Amino acid sequence: MFYVSTRGSKNKVTAAEAIVQGLSEDGGLFVPEAFPQVDAATLKEWRPLSYAALAGELLPLFLEEYDPAFLRKAAGEAYETAFGAGAGTTVNIAEGLYALELWHGPTCAFKDYALQLMPRLLVEGKRMTEHTEKTRILVATSGDTGKAALDGYKNLEGVDIIVFYPNDGTSIVQRKQMATQEGDNVRVFAVEGNFDDAQTGVKKVFSDETVREKLLQKNIRLSSANSINWGRLVPQIVYYFYAYFRVLESEGFTEGAQIDFCVPTGNFGDILAGYYAKKMGLPIGKLICASNKNKVLTDFFRTGTYDAGREFYKTASPSMDILISSNLERLLYHVTGDAGKVSEWMASLKETGKFTVSEDILQKIRQDFDCGWTSEEECEETIGAFFAEHNYISDTHTAVALHVTREKKSADRVMVVLSTASPFKFPRVVLKALGEAVPENDFDAIAALERRTGMEAPETLTSLRNKEDRFTRVISAEEIAEVSLA
Ligand SMILES: *Cc1c(COP(=O)(O)O)cnc(C)c1O
């Protein structure tokens, strides 16, 4: 199977090339030419598999030229070793409502699913395609990607990684997770401004010819760990299948029953993986895109106009504080099959901050997607209400989706909410939502939240408290290029 660019350059690449290159040279994103089909008999076969074994079956369908034995081993290392028994945890929280808890990995957010695996795919992909240069991973993060990428890439052969996060744009725990990162091949910078400033700065480095030249002279090639990389998306398809099987078991359904998924969304990577699962034949009804106050996607799904020229809000769900949802470009390509159109829209987005799709295209998108958004007040209220009513404690990102399910859950279909971060990653807001006094310090808040809920916080978070910061430098967005060269 080959991969093509959403902006239509003629050359097709293998999965390994797509992962090594990250972004296509024409600025587009790599997408699979076709979707492997999974029939009812295969679904039946896959149903009893462990998470790692399921990944071992699914990944080779998209990563054809990788040795299946290598993929099975990598999946085992990622999902058995790094996650323990927590991979794919699916819990019933109310009648017909489930949470797929994706935060039982090493950094307590769903991005571990991709970033515990993708570094292995990259290193193997380089070997297969005979790339001997050093790979420098640049990451712009609104919080969770940075730490998950640092953890996935640390001390890997032939790779180094630089992470840029918005100063004051992350929670204290998130900042501490990154600032204390260990490893010989890692660097971390706070950037003045918001996530889009950091992301734009990093994108500029990627498209800057002189920077690329200078790095090539040092035998270094840039790559991305953001969800624009195909290697980030493909591992995420697995958990839609896994959760589907858990719901069938729990509800006593047979294969073929449709369920809906509601996904707290920022860059549109997580929910796009659900679309891919549906394209492969998983019986998904609707994929519901849940936004926070930065509801650029909700407005797009409702009106057909994507308009990033609006006020940017810093919310309690910082990993969703995004105005340019990069992976929407992939969806637009799949829905239209028209790289020329996609290029026009993206050019318009770059020049005017917006673009509009036709009513036809919007209707097509709505066959698979629905949407909703959650205000800051509603987010807090939802955390409190789910704890009071269902004894379920959620983080702020998950709460954005839980709120949307109240409106979007259909009576005759099971809904699975993707729970994307541990509540202990955002302890102060969660405590406040429970009506508790909120200590100044995040770590005191973690302890208070443990007492209030009777849940134990992940050790990887509590142990940060006494760890010394390694990285303290704050830079301007203009300095991103300079430090990327060093
Ligand atoms: C990254 C992230 C999201 C958004 O996921 P996208 O793939 O960017 O849409 C939601 N919640 C949490 C906790 C995240 O870290």
Side-chain angles (χ1 to χ4, degrees):
M1 177 198 295
F2 287 100
Y3 289 78
V4 294
S5 164
T6 49
R7 305 211 188 155
S9 62
K10 296 279 175 289
N11 59 337
K12 297 175 180 185
V13 300
T14 61
E17 272 294 344
I19 290 167
V20 173
Q21 277 188 41
L23 202 65
S24 164
E25 272 164 21
D26 57 13
L29 308 182
F30 287 116
V31 286
E33 255 187 325
F35 295 98
Q37 294 301 301
V38 175
D39 59 16
T42 311
L43 285 180
K44 224 182 189 107
E45 258 169 54
W46 283 3
R47 184 163 163 174
L49 299 180
S50 73
Y51 193 91
L54 179 63
E57 292 297 313
L58 193 149
L59 293 169
L61 302 180
F62 282 102
L63 307 174
E64 263 180 350
E65 76 280 14
Y66 282 76
D67 179 356
F70 162 83
L71 292 173
R72 277 196 297 273
K73 181 164 166 283
E77 285 164 1
Y79 302 121
E80 266 151 26
T81 314
F83 280 78
T89 301
T90 306
V91 296
N92 185 211
I93 52 181
E95 198 187 328
L97 184 63
Y98 289 76
L100 167 56
E101 294 183 345
L102 298 172
W103 40 266
H104 296 285
T107 78
C108 308
F110 89 91
K111 295 187 172 71
D112 285 330
Y113 278 85
L115 286 163
Q116 286 297 314
L117 188 72
M118 180 173 131
R120 300 170 214 269
L121 300 180
L122 175 75
V123 172
E124 177 69 2
K126 278 174 71 181
R127 195 192 59 73
M128 289 159 56
T129 54
E130 295 172 3
H131 281 284
T132 53
E133 73 281 357
K134 180 171 183 171
T135 305
R136 175 160 294 171
I137 309 284
L138 299 186
V139 184
T141 180
S142 54
D144 293 325
T145 305
K147 176 60 188 181
L150 288 163
D151 201 85
Y153 281 102
K154 68 165 190 280
N155 298 331
L156 263 192
E157 203 64 45
V159 183
D160 67 14
I161 171 165
I162 313 177
V163 168
F164 302 93
Y165 67 88
N167 204 20
D168 304 327
T170 64
S171 81
I172 296 166
V173 173
Q174 284 177 315
R175 192 200 66 77
K176 190 82 183 168
Q177 277 188 311
M178 291 186 275
T180 59
Q181 178 65 44
E182 293 165 10
D184 300 332
N185 60 341
V186 308
R187 285 186 287 155
V188 178
F189 296 95
V191 180
E192 290 159 3
N194 62 39
F195 170 67
D196 283 322
D197 294 320
Q199 173 155 270
T200 305
V202 168
K203 276 189 176 163
K204 239 182 179 156
V205 175
F206 277 112
S207 60
D208 187 328
E209 289 290 329
T210 44
V211 170
R212 210 187 305 185
E213 286 282 300
K214 282 184 189 162
L215 284 172
L216 274 182
Q217 279 164 23
K218 297 200 225 177
N219 201 25
I220 298 175
R221 184 165 152 144
L222 292 178
S223 188
S224 163
N226 284 94
S227 55
I228 51 178
N229 192 306
W230 173 249
R232 269 288 295 278
L233 290 179
V234 64
Q236 296 179 171
I237 301 170
V238 178
Y239 49 68
Y240 284 89
F241 282 86
Y242 191 80
Y244 179 77
F245 297 136
R246 301 295 77 77
V247 169
L248 293 196
E249 277 164 9
S250 167
E251 298 282 330
F253 292 161
T254 49
E255 285 81 1
Q258 280 201 340
I259 64 175
D260 295 336
F261 285 90
C262 183
V263 187
T265 295
N267 224 0
F268 208 72
D270 205 6
I271 194 167
L272 187 70
Y275 175 75
Y276 289 159
K278 185 172 182 184
K279 282 279 184 199
M280 293 172 72
L282 188 67
I284 295 177
K286 282 273 192 306
L287 292 154
I288 294 143
C289 174
S291 295
N292 67 19
K293 197 176 175 188
N294 295 295
K295 58 181 183 58
V296 62
L297 284 166
T298 314
D299 293 343
F300 172 69
F301 287 125
R302 289 193 177 150
T303 66
T305 295
Y306 190 100
D307 186 357
R310 61 176 69 205
E311 191 175 345
F312 175 87
Y313 299 106
K314 275 211 277 192
T315 74
S317 43
S319 297
M320 297 159 67
D321 288 347
I322 286 171
L323 292 181
I324 308 279
S325 293
S326 305
N327 279 297
L328 184 65
E329 177 169 348
R330 285 191 162 107
L331 178 66
L332 292 171
Y333 179 82
H334 295 305
V335 170
T336 62
D338 187 342
K341 268 245 162 65
V342 174
S343 306
E344 276 171 35
W345 289 324
M346 292 305 126
S348 168
L349 182 63
K350 198 167 168 193
E351 280 150 30
T352 69
K354 57 181 168 182
F355 64 89
T356 300
V357 304
S358 70
E359 190 57 33
D360 254 23
I361 293 167
L362 196 55
Q363 288 306 336
K364 243 178 138 180
I365 291 173
R366 286 193 190 135
Q367 288 169 11
D368 297 313
F369 290 89
D370 199 348
C371 65
W373 73 285
T374 300
S375 71
E376 291 296 273
E377 296 73 28
E378 289 165 335
C379 174
E380 273 191 26
E381 187 273 325
T382 303
I383 293 172
F386 270 82
F387 190 58
E389 289 161 29
H390 307 295
N391 200 29
Y392 190 75
I393 189 78
S394 77
D395 93 293
T396 47
H397 302 75
T398 307
V400 164
L402 285 172
H403 173 260
V404 170
T405 64
R406 283 177 171 162
E407 190 192 326
K408 295 293 175 183
K409 164 109 182 56
S410 70
D412 55 356
R413 252 194 333 238
V414 167
M415 170 89 81
V416 177
V417 168
L418 271 60
S419 175
T420 49
S422 160
F424 289 99
K425 251 188 140 168
F426 306 91
R428 301 179 73 245
V429 196
V430 175
L431 261 187
K432 177 158 174 273
L434 298 182
E436 297 288 313
V438 181
E440 262 311 297
N441 182 298
D442 261 13
F443 294 98
D444 291 336
I446 288 178
L449 191 56
E450 284 185 312
R451 285 193 298 274
R452 179 70 175 83
T453 61
M455 270 173 76
E456 204 177 321
E459 201 268 333
T460 44
L461 296 182
T462 47
S463 66
L464 288 172
R465 180 165 208 162
N466 300 317
K467 247 186 172 169
E468 204 61 52
D469 282 354
R470 253 184 101 192
F471 301 102
T472 53
R473 195 167 151 202
V474 183
I475 62 171
S476 69
E478 289 72 45
E479 288 174 282
I480 290 177
E482 189 186 316
V483 300
S484 302
L485 276 172

